[in-house]
């Protein structure tokens, strides 16, 4: 029974001061780093994703000069720019696989990305016999939601580490957590340095 941690899109453009910075993003970056310091050893895989868009064009309608912040967004996470890099508060030393997604198209789920070796996330999970997946990162109401729903659809037991996620808006984040719980995800508090439940 092996376990994976997904760290979704903890990037400069999604934390305070970024093109699409969410409130609490920096705190999530630091919180995940503290969590990893105590718990990294429990995971067979630690997969971190980055939204990684093209600088040219609108990435399949994802970028828009007058975004609705639901289906269209201001320019963000252009590959190779500072905005696309991990937030400096996130310690990536324990990350085993880096996934990039969104090259030329919208991609909310980490499953839409590929590792630096070109592997899909589902291949990676199969190869390591992953049964349980814990999910942290940004944004609760978009990429965390989509990644967790995909993980459930792929037959995994999913826990959302609710103190290690941050969302675009409170209502849609609350709705996303309720939807995920309904779909079968467990909502768990990662806590400070103490052992996680069931570990
Ligand atoms: Zn994007």
């Amino acid at each position: 029974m092996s376990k994976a941690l997904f760290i979704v899109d903890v990037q400069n453009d999604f934390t305070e001061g970024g093109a699409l910075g969410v409130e609490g993003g920096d705190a999530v970056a630091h919180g995940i780093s503290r969590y990893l310091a105590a718990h990294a050893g429990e995971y067979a895989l630690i997969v971190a994703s980055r939204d990684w868009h093209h600088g040219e064009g609108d990435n399949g309608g994802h970028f828009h000069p007058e975004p609705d912040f639901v289906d269209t967004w201001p320019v963000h996470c252009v590959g190779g720019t500072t905005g696309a890099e991990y937030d400096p508060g996130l310690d990536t030393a324990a990350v085993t696989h880096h996934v990039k997604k969104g090259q030329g198209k919208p991609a909310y789920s980490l499953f839409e990305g590929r590792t630096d070796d070109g592997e899909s996330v589902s291949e990676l999970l199969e190869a390591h016999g992953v049964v349980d997946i814990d999910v942290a990162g940004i944004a609760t109401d978009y990429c965390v939601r989509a990644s967790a729903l995909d993980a459930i659809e792929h037959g995994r037991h999913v826990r959302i580490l609710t103190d290690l996620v941050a969302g675009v808006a409170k209502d849609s984040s609350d709705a996303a957590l309720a939807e995920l719980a309904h779909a079968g995800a467990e909502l768990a508090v990662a806590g400070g340095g103490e052992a996680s439940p069931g570990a």
Side-chain angles (χ1 to χ4, degrees), residues 20-108:
L20 267 173
V22 307
E23 208 184 309
D26 284 334
V28 161
H30 290 284
I32 292 172
S33 296
R34 280 193 301 273
Y35 180 75
L36 286 172
H39 297 279
E42 296 166 19
Y43 295 98
L45 293 176
I46 299 177
V47 183
S49 66
R50 273 174 291 179
D51 213 19
W52 199 263
H53 296 305
H54 291 161
E56 307 272 311
D58 66 2
N59 288 275
H62 192 52
F63 290 173
H64 197 281
E66 287 170 28
D68 64 9
F69 295 92
V70 177
D71 295 311
T72 57
W73 306 92
V75 172
H76 61 276
C77 298
V78 170
T81 67
T82 306
E85 291 308 321
Y86 293 116
D87 183 283
L90 177 69
D91 181 354
T92 59
V95 172
T96 61
H97 294 81
H98 297 274
V99 164
K100 293 191 180 91
K101 62 182 176 64
Q103 293 97 328
K105 60 185 184 199
Y108 295 97

Side-chain angles (χ1 to χ4, degrees), residues 97-192:
H97 294 81
H98 297 274
V99 164
K100 293 191 180 91
K101 62 182 176 64
Q103 293 97 328
K105 60 185 184 199
Y108 295 97
S109 169
L110 178 150
F111 281 83
E112 295 178 71
R114 296 239 161 212
T115 67
D116 289 341
D117 293 332
E119 231 179 341
S120 74
V121 173
S122 54
E123 286 165 349
L124 191 61
L125 297 175
E126 284 302 321
H128 289 81
V130 170
V131 176
D132 295 297
I133 300 176
D134 289 347
V135 184
I138 303 169
T140 315
D141 31 0
Y142 292 93
C143 294
V144 167
R145 171 186 173 273
S147 302
L149 285 173
D150 269 355
I152 293 166
E153 222 162 86
H154 282 76
R156 265 63 184 200
H157 174 251
V158 172
R159 289 199 317 166
I160 312 296
L161 304 179
T162 55
D163 49 339
L164 298 180
V165 295
V168 173
K170 188 182 184 311
D171 286 353
S172 49
S173 296
D174 289 349
L177 291 177
E179 179 188 11
L180 288 165
H182 186 74
E186 193 183 324
L187 305 184
V189 176

